[in-house]
mmCIF file of all heavy atoms in Angstrom:
data_model
loop_
_atom_site.group_PDB
_atom_site.id
_atom_site.type_symbol
_atom_site.label_atom_id
_atom_site.label_comp_id
_atom_site.label_asym_id
_atom_site.label_seq_id
_atom_site.Cartn_x
_atom_site.Cartn_y
_atom_site.Cartn_z
ATOM 1 N N ALA A 1253 30.355 27.620 -2.211
ATOM 2 C CA ALA A 1253 28.977 27.966 -2.549
ATOM 3 C C ALA A 1253 28.071 27.560 -1.396
ATOM 4 O O ALA A 1253 28.113 26.415 -0.941
ATOM 5 C CB ALA A 1253 28.553 27.266 -3.831
ATOM 6 N N GLY A 1254 27.262 28.504 -0.942
ATOM 7 C CA GLY A 1254 26.400 28.208 0.199
ATOM 8 C C GLY A 1254 25.162 27.431 -0.195
ATOM 9 O O GLY A 1254 24.963 26.284 0.207
ATOM 10 N N ILE A 1255 24.303 28.057 -1.009
ATOM 11 C CA ILE A 1255 23.053 27.462 -1.469
ATOM 12 C C ILE A 1255 23.065 27.484 -2.994
ATOM 13 O O ILE A 1255 23.264 28.536 -3.599
ATOM 14 C CB ILE A 1255 21.838 28.245 -0.948
ATOM 15 C CG1 ILE A 1255 21.766 28.180 0.584
ATOM 16 C CG2 ILE A 1255 20.553 27.724 -1.563
ATOM 17 C CD1 ILE A 1255 20.751 29.155 1.175
ATOM 18 N N THR A 1256 22.844 26.324 -3.628
ATOM 19 C CA THR A 1256 22.843 26.287 -5.098
ATOM 20 C C THR A 1256 21.676 25.460 -5.608
ATOM 21 O O THR A 1256 21.330 24.426 -5.030
ATOM 22 C CB THR A 1256 24.155 25.694 -5.654
ATOM 23 O OG1 THR A 1256 24.275 24.325 -5.255
ATOM 24 C CG2 THR A 1256 25.366 26.469 -5.157
ATOM 25 N N LEU A 1257 21.089 25.926 -6.702
ATOM 26 C CA LEU A 1257 20.059 25.187 -7.424
ATOM 27 C C LEU A 1257 20.521 25.056 -8.873
ATOM 28 O O LEU A 1257 20.726 26.061 -9.550
ATOM 29 C CB LEU A 1257 18.706 25.905 -7.372
ATOM 30 C CG LEU A 1257 17.917 25.852 -6.059
ATOM 31 C CD1 LEU A 1257 18.550 26.721 -4.990
ATOM 32 C CD2 LEU A 1257 16.468 26.288 -6.291
ATOM 33 N N TYR A 1258 20.695 23.829 -9.328
ATOM 34 C CA TYR A 1258 21.128 23.554 -10.703
ATOM 35 C C TYR A 1258 20.063 22.705 -11.385
ATOM 36 O O TYR A 1258 19.871 21.533 -11.029
ATOM 37 C CB TYR A 1258 22.445 22.775 -10.710
ATOM 38 C CG TYR A 1258 23.660 23.543 -10.276
ATOM 39 C CD1 TYR A 1258 24.062 23.551 -8.948
ATOM 40 C CD2 TYR A 1258 24.433 24.216 -11.208
ATOM 41 C CE1 TYR A 1258 25.206 24.239 -8.555
ATOM 42 C CE2 TYR A 1258 25.577 24.900 -10.827
ATOM 43 C CZ TYR A 1258 25.958 24.903 -9.497
ATOM 44 O OH TYR A 1258 27.090 25.574 -9.112
ATOM 45 N N GLN A 1259 19.368 23.279 -12.354
ATOM 46 C CA GLN A 1259 18.352 22.554 -13.106
ATOM 47 C C GLN A 1259 18.864 22.369 -14.534
ATOM 48 O O GLN A 1259 18.919 23.304 -15.316
ATOM 49 C CB GLN A 1259 17.040 23.333 -13.085
ATOM 50 C CG GLN A 1259 15.939 22.769 -13.947
ATOM 51 C CD GLN A 1259 15.654 21.305 -13.666
ATOM 52 O OE1 GLN A 1259 16.261 20.430 -14.292
ATOM 53 N NE2 GLN A 1259 14.767 21.034 -12.725
ATOM 54 N N LYS A 1260 19.257 21.155 -14.870
ATOM 55 C CA LYS A 1260 19.900 20.896 -16.162
ATOM 56 C C LYS A 1260 19.225 19.812 -16.995
ATOM 57 O O LYS A 1260 19.539 19.654 -18.166
ATOM 58 C CB LYS A 1260 21.365 20.495 -15.943
ATOM 59 C CG LYS A 1260 22.247 21.581 -15.349
ATOM 60 C CD LYS A 1260 23.654 21.063 -15.102
ATOM 61 C CE LYS A 1260 24.576 22.138 -14.544
ATOM 62 N NZ LYS A 1260 24.942 23.155 -15.558
ATOM 63 N N ASP A 1261 18.308 19.024 -16.383
ATOM 64 C CA ASP A 1261 17.840 17.809 -17.046
ATOM 65 C C ASP A 1261 16.341 17.785 -17.327
ATOM 66 O O ASP A 1261 15.792 16.728 -17.645
ATOM 67 C CB ASP A 1261 18.223 16.591 -16.210
ATOM 68 C CG ASP A 1261 19.729 16.464 -16.039
ATOM 69 O OD1 ASP A 1261 20.441 16.522 -17.055
ATOM 70 O OD2 ASP A 1261 20.188 16.328 -14.887
ATOM 71 N N GLY A 1262 15.647 18.923 -17.186
ATOM 72 C CA GLY A 1262 14.272 18.989 -17.641
ATOM 73 C C GLY A 1262 13.199 18.815 -16.592
ATOM 74 O O GLY A 1262 12.011 18.926 -16.896
ATOM 75 N N GLY A 1263 13.564 18.539 -15.360
ATOM 76 C CA GLY A 1263 12.570 18.417 -14.304
ATOM 77 C C GLY A 1263 12.125 19.781 -13.783
ATOM 78 O O GLY A 1263 12.507 20.829 -14.302
ATOM 79 N N THR A 1264 11.317 19.758 -12.729
ATOM 80 C CA THR A 1264 10.835 20.979 -12.097
ATOM 81 C C THR A 1264 11.301 21.029 -10.649
ATOM 82 O O THR A 1264 11.133 20.059 -9.911
ATOM 83 C CB THR A 1264 9.296 21.042 -12.134
ATOM 84 O OG1 THR A 1264 8.860 21.100 -13.484
ATOM 85 C CG2 THR A 1264 8.780 22.271 -11.392
ATOM 86 N N MET A 1265 11.909 22.150 -10.262
ATOM 87 C CA MET A 1265 12.215 22.430 -8.857
ATOM 88 C C MET A 1265 11.185 23.437 -8.373
ATOM 89 O O MET A 1265 11.066 24.530 -8.939
ATOM 90 C CB MET A 1265 13.621 22.999 -8.702
ATOM 91 C CG MET A 1265 14.730 22.039 -9.006
ATOM 92 S SD MET A 1265 16.361 22.816 -8.756
ATOM 93 C CE MET A 1265 17.432 21.475 -9.294
ATOM 94 N N GLU A 1266 10.442 23.076 -7.327
ATOM 95 C CA GLU A 1266 9.400 23.992 -6.872
ATOM 96 C C GLU A 1266 9.088 23.778 -5.397
ATOM 97 O O GLU A 1266 9.356 22.713 -4.839
ATOM 98 C CB GLU A 1266 8.122 23.796 -7.686
ATOM 99 C CG GLU A 1266 7.490 22.427 -7.563
ATOM 100 C CD GLU A 1266 6.244 22.277 -8.430
ATOM 101 O OE1 GLU A 1266 5.725 23.298 -8.916
ATOM 102 O OE2 GLU A 1266 5.791 21.121 -8.614
ATOM 103 N N ASP A 1267 8.516 24.830 -4.814
ATOM 104 C CA ASP A 1267 8.113 24.821 -3.415
ATOM 105 C C ASP A 1267 9.318 24.486 -2.524
ATOM 106 O O ASP A 1267 9.356 23.457 -1.843
ATOM 107 C CB ASP A 1267 6.980 23.823 -3.189
ATOM 108 C CG ASP A 1267 6.383 23.934 -1.785
ATOM 109 O OD1 ASP A 1267 6.593 24.974 -1.127
ATOM 110 O OD2 ASP A 1267 5.711 22.970 -1.355
ATOM 111 N N VAL A 1268 10.315 25.381 -2.574
ATOM 112 C CA VAL A 1268 11.558 25.204 -1.822
ATOM 113 C C VAL A 1268 11.758 26.413 -0.914
ATOM 114 O O VAL A 1268 11.667 27.557 -1.368
ATOM 115 C CB VAL A 1268 12.763 25.055 -2.779
ATOM 116 C CG1 VAL A 1268 14.048 24.838 -1.979
ATOM 117 C CG2 VAL A 1268 12.541 23.894 -3.749
ATOM 118 N N LEU A 1269 12.029 26.158 0.353
ATOM 119 C CA LEU A 1269 12.174 27.227 1.343
ATOM 120 C C LEU A 1269 13.529 27.142 2.026
ATOM 121 O O LEU A 1269 13.908 26.077 2.520
ATOM 122 C CB LEU A 1269 11.066 27.122 2.394
ATOM 123 C CG LEU A 1269 11.194 28.007 3.645
ATOM 124 C CD1 LEU A 1269 11.083 29.480 3.272
ATOM 125 C CD2 LEU A 1269 10.143 27.630 4.675
ATOM 126 N N PHE A 1270 14.252 28.261 2.049
ATOM 127 C CA PHE A 1270 15.499 28.396 2.812
ATOM 128 C C PHE A 1270 15.276 29.486 3.866
ATOM 129 O O PHE A 1270 14.906 30.616 3.511
ATOM 130 C CB PHE A 1270 16.657 28.795 1.900
ATOM 131 C CG PHE A 1270 16.983 27.789 0.833
ATOM 132 C CD1 PHE A 1270 16.422 27.892 -0.435
ATOM 133 C CD2 PHE A 1270 17.851 26.733 1.090
ATOM 134 C CE1 PHE A 1270 16.725 26.984 -1.434
ATOM 135 C CE2 PHE A 1270 18.152 25.812 0.095
ATOM 136 C CZ PHE A 1270 17.592 25.936 -1.163
ATOM 137 N N SER A 1271 15.524 29.170 5.143
ATOM 138 C CA SER A 1271 15.296 30.171 6.181
ATOM 139 C C SER A 1271 16.312 30.017 7.314
ATOM 140 O O SER A 1271 16.760 28.910 7.638
ATOM 141 C CB SER A 1271 13.880 30.046 6.749
ATOM 142 O OG SER A 1271 13.688 28.811 7.405
ATOM 143 N N ASN A 1272 16.674 31.175 7.888
ATOM 144 C CA ASN A 1272 17.557 31.216 9.060
ATOM 145 C C ASN A 1272 18.851 30.433 8.819
ATOM 146 O O ASN A 1272 19.175 29.488 9.531
ATOM 147 C CB ASN A 1272 16.835 30.684 10.305
ATOM 148 C CG ASN A 1272 15.586 31.485 10.633
ATOM 149 O OD1 ASN A 1272 15.525 32.684 10.370
ATOM 150 N ND2 ASN A 1272 14.590 30.830 11.183
ATOM 151 N N ILE A 1273 19.572 30.866 7.806
ATOM 152 C CA ILE A 1273 20.815 30.194 7.417
ATOM 153 C C ILE A 1273 21.942 31.228 7.377
ATOM 154 O O ILE A 1273 21.800 32.291 6.778
ATOM 155 C CB ILE A 1273 20.663 29.512 6.041
ATOM 156 C CG1 ILE A 1273 19.609 28.391 6.130
ATOM 157 C CG2 ILE A 1273 21.996 28.931 5.562
ATOM 158 C CD1 ILE A 1273 19.258 27.764 4.804
ATOM 159 N N THR A 1274 23.048 30.913 8.023
ATOM 160 C CA THR A 1274 24.237 31.759 8.019
ATOM 161 C C THR A 1274 25.245 31.185 7.032
ATOM 162 O O THR A 1274 25.569 29.995 7.092
ATOM 163 C CB THR A 1274 24.862 31.825 9.423
ATOM 164 O OG1 THR A 1274 23.921 32.420 10.316
ATOM 165 C CG2 THR A 1274 26.132 32.648 9.408
ATOM 166 N N ILE A 1275 25.745 32.039 6.132
ATOM 167 C CA ILE A 1275 26.659 31.590 5.076
ATOM 168 C C ILE A 1275 27.934 32.418 5.133
ATOM 169 O O ILE A 1275 27.886 33.645 5.081
ATOM 170 C CB ILE A 1275 26.021 31.742 3.684
ATOM 171 C CG1 ILE A 1275 24.709 30.948 3.593
ATOM 172 C CG2 ILE A 1275 26.988 31.290 2.598
ATOM 173 C CD1 ILE A 1275 23.924 31.223 2.327
ATOM 174 N N GLU A 1276 29.062 31.738 5.232
ATOM 175 C CA GLU A 1276 30.373 32.391 5.143
ATOM 176 C C GLU A 1276 31.147 31.706 4.029
ATOM 177 O O GLU A 1276 31.538 30.541 4.156
ATOM 178 C CB GLU A 1276 31.131 32.262 6.465
ATOM 179 C CG GLU A 1276 32.533 32.837 6.445
ATOM 180 C CD GLU A 1276 33.325 32.412 7.677
ATOM 181 O OE1 GLU A 1276 33.891 31.290 7.658
ATOM 182 O OE2 GLU A 1276 33.369 33.179 8.646
ATOM 183 N N THR A 1277 31.330 32.400 2.900
ATOM 184 C CA THR A 1277 32.038 31.784 1.779
ATOM 185 C C THR A 1277 33.540 32.013 1.896
ATOM 186 O O THR A 1277 34.005 32.942 2.549
ATOM 187 C CB THR A 1277 31.543 32.344 0.441
ATOM 188 O OG1 THR A 1277 31.731 33.759 0.433
ATOM 189 C CG2 THR A 1277 30.081 32.016 0.225
ATOM 190 N N LYS A 1278 34.270 31.132 1.231
ATOM 191 C CA LYS A 1278 35.727 31.200 1.252
ATOM 192 C C LYS A 1278 36.244 30.661 -0.073
ATOM 193 O O LYS A 1278 35.797 29.616 -0.542
ATOM 194 C CB LYS A 1278 36.282 30.369 2.416
ATOM 195 C CG LYS A 1278 37.797 30.374 2.515
ATOM 196 C CD LYS A 1278 38.252 29.511 3.685
ATOM 197 C CE LYS A 1278 39.771 29.496 3.809
ATOM 198 N NZ LYS A 1278 40.212 28.641 4.927
ATOM 199 N N GLY A 1279 37.192 31.371 -0.696
ATOM 200 C CA GLY A 1279 37.765 30.905 -1.947
ATOM 201 C C GLY A 1279 38.423 29.549 -1.796
ATOM 202 O O GLY A 1279 39.061 29.263 -0.786
ATOM 203 N N ASP A 1280 38.267 28.711 -2.784
ATOM 204 C CA ASP A 1280 38.795 27.355 -2.762
ATOM 205 C C ASP A 1280 40.161 27.325 -3.442
ATOM 206 O O ASP A 1280 40.272 27.528 -4.650
ATOM 207 C CB ASP A 1280 37.810 26.422 -3.469
ATOM 208 C CG ASP A 1280 38.374 25.037 -3.698
ATOM 209 O OD1 ASP A 1280 39.245 24.626 -2.919
ATOM 210 O OD2 ASP A 1280 37.946 24.386 -4.659
ATOM 211 N N VAL A 1281 41.201 27.041 -2.672
ATOM 212 C CA VAL A 1281 42.556 27.057 -3.222
ATOM 213 C C VAL A 1281 42.907 25.742 -3.908
ATOM 214 O O VAL A 1281 43.918 25.654 -4.600
ATOM 215 C CB VAL A 1281 43.594 27.350 -2.117
ATOM 216 C CG1 VAL A 1281 43.341 28.721 -1.509
ATOM 217 C CG2 VAL A 1281 43.578 26.281 -1.029
ATOM 218 N N ILE A 1282 42.079 24.701 -3.720
ATOM 219 C CA ILE A 1282 42.379 23.401 -4.314
ATOM 220 C C ILE A 1282 41.767 23.292 -5.709
ATOM 221 O O ILE A 1282 42.449 23.040 -6.697
ATOM 222 C CB ILE A 1282 41.875 22.264 -3.402
ATOM 223 C CG1 ILE A 1282 42.588 22.324 -2.041
ATOM 224 C CG2 ILE A 1282 42.089 20.908 -4.065
ATOM 225 C CD1 ILE A 1282 42.031 21.368 -1.018
ATOM 226 N N TYR A 1283 40.473 23.491 -5.796
ATOM 227 C CA TYR A 1283 39.773 23.334 -7.068
ATOM 228 C C TYR A 1283 39.495 24.667 -7.767
ATOM 229 O O TYR A 1283 38.916 24.695 -8.841
ATOM 230 C CB TYR A 1283 38.462 22.579 -6.845
ATOM 231 C CG TYR A 1283 38.691 21.153 -6.420
ATOM 232 C CD1 TYR A 1283 38.557 20.764 -5.089
ATOM 233 C CD2 TYR A 1283 39.064 20.185 -7.349
ATOM 234 C CE1 TYR A 1283 38.782 19.453 -4.695
ATOM 235 C CE2 TYR A 1283 39.295 18.874 -6.969
ATOM 236 C CZ TYR A 1283 39.145 18.519 -5.641
ATOM 237 O OH TYR A 1283 39.380 17.224 -5.257
#
Side-chain angles (χ1 to χ4, degrees):
I1255 296 169
T1256 64
L1257 285 72
Y1258 290 91
Q1259 174 53 270
K1260 295 177 178 288
D1261 299 309
T1264 297
M1265 292 181 183
E1266 63 182 346
D1267 189 18
V1268 181
L1269 170 66
F1270 298 93
S1271 64
N1272 301 329
I1273 296 173
T1274 298
I1275 302 171
E1276 177 192 83
T1277 58
K1278 180 181 180 181
D1280 170 27
V1281 298
I1282 299 172
Y1283 293 102

